[in-house]
Amino acid sequence: MIDIHNHTTFSDGRNTVEQVIQSAVEAGLQVIGLSDHFDPYVCQEVCLQPEEINGYLKEIRSFDGELPIKVLAGM
């Protein structure tokens, strides 16, 4: 089972990257996709901003190989 549409606190989600991934692991998912909103010209309050992209991707990639789940990064 996979879930590829999840938001984190980088946009309008309630949970951090780590919390979303951990919940997916606990649910037995094989793949989790993080797809935070990115449209800095329209929704600055609830969207990932250009200056946050590197940190966003770095945090997601920090879980590569650490857990029994494939983590995809998107926007």
Side-chain angles (χ1 to χ4, degrees):
M1 178 79 63
I2 67 172
D3 182 354
I4 57 171
H5 188 155
N6 296 277
H7 300 172
T8 71
T9 53
F10 275 97
S11 66
D12 65 348
R14 294 183 184 165
N15 297 307
T16 65
V17 168
E18 182 176 10
Q19 290 168 327
V20 171
I21 293 171
Q22 189 57 44
S23 292
V25 169
E26 291 170 5
L29 296 178
Q30 297 168 319
V31 178
I32 183 76
L34 302 178
S35 53
D36 280 285
H37 295 287
F38 179 73
D39 191 346
Y41 305 106
V42 176
C43 60
Q44 292 181 347
E45 299 82 31
V46 295
C47 288
L48 181 63
Q49 296 300 298
E51 64 273 9
E52 297 175 307
I53 292 173
N54 287 337
Y56 174 71
L57 295 174
K58 183 178 179 180
E59 186 167 345
I60 292 170
R61 290 179 182 143
S62 73
F63 293 94
D64 284 348
E66 295 294 316
L67 298 168
I69 190 170
K70 174 73 174 163
V71 182
L72 304 175
M75 291 183 266

